[in-house]
Amino acid sequence: MTKEDRKNAYLYCKFRDEQFALYDDYAKRHGMLMKTLLVVNVLFYAQGGMTQTEICKRTFQSKQTVNLIIKNLLSDNYVTVTEVPENKRNKMVQMTEAGRAYCEKVVRHITWAEDAAMAMFTPEEQKQLIDLSRTFTKNLTMLVNQETEEM
């Protein structure tokens, strides 16, 4: 591993952290936590709702975190939770009209900003960004989960 490798890893992670901070600040400016923003974002676009398990997979959050967020949204009447007939342990979560009204402007704006920022790249640059980010994430996952620091 070279000094340049370490510098570039630092820069890439710094940009990632800057993006996380941007999302966190945006959510706070709109009266919610970033993790809540992630959940309402996926629910807003899920036409028929989705299970809590699906929400966990889509937002990369724990069951406990998603459950707490859903309970809070439920108490504000922003979502409904119903049992899935085939598997009563799974609960289908769906936005209510009040929930859609609560988060529509916030969700649509952040989605627009993401889409517009991506559109500022050429199609080739978009593909390269996605491919390299996917590969970095795959490599990072493998290395974080390995027991030693040897390559």
Side-chain angles (χ1 to χ4, degrees):
M1 181 173 339
T2 68
K3 186 176 182 177
E4 188 73 10
D5 293 335
R6 286 191 294 278
K7 180 183 122 196
N8 288 334
Y10 168 79
L11 288 173
Y12 182 81
C13 293
K14 181 180 173 205
F15 294 139
R16 180 207 54 214
D17 294 347
E18 186 177 347
Q19 289 175 3
F20 287 162
L22 180 68
Y23 280 95
D24 189 50
D25 183 58
Y26 179 77
K28 285 179 184 169
R29 284 195 328 257
H30 292 90
M32 63 181 84
L33 297 173
M34 184 176 78
K35 291 183 178 207
T36 301
L37 174 63
L38 297 174
V39 170
V40 297
N41 186 51
V42 296
L43 283 173
F44 183 82
Y45 290 110
Q47 296 298 324
M50 56 188 359
T51 65
Q52 289 188 24
T53 301
E54 291 170 317
I55 295 168
C56 291
K57 287 178 184 171
R58 290 277 307 276
T59 62
F60 301 94
Q61 296 185 69
S62 70
K63 291 180 193 177
Q64 296 85 350
T65 298
V66 168
N67 191 43
L68 181 61
I69 291 168
I70 297 302
K71 280 184 179 180
N72 290 335
L73 293 170
L74 188 60
S75 71
D76 291 333
N77 295 314
Y78 292 152
V79 297
T80 58
V81 178
T82 54
E83 284 184 354
V84 175
E86 306 84 52
N87 182 349
K88 295 194 186 300
R89 290 184 49 186
N90 277 333
K91 307 277 191 251
M92 184 62 69
V93 183
Q94 193 164 13
M95 284 226 143
T96 63
E97 285 305 312
R100 292 185 70 74
Y102 161 70
C103 72
E104 181 171 16
K105 185 177 178 185
V106 174
V107 167
R108 287 196 189 275
H109 180 73
I110 198 72
T111 302
W112 166 83
E114 292 165 341
D115 293 348
M118 187 60 73
M120 292 174 174
F121 289 116
T122 66
E124 295 79 21
E125 290 170 330
Q126 291 177 24
K127 182 179 180 337
Q128 188 177 22
L129 175 65
I130 292 165
D131 289 346
L132 291 173
S133 294
R134 181 182 294 121
T135 301
F136 180 85
T137 301
K138 184 179 127 211
N139 292 345
L140 184 62
T141 301
M142 177 193 64
L143 294 166
V144 165
N145 291 328
Q146 115 185 353
E147 294 296 319
T148 65
E149 294 181 10
E150 296 176 29
M151 289 182 50

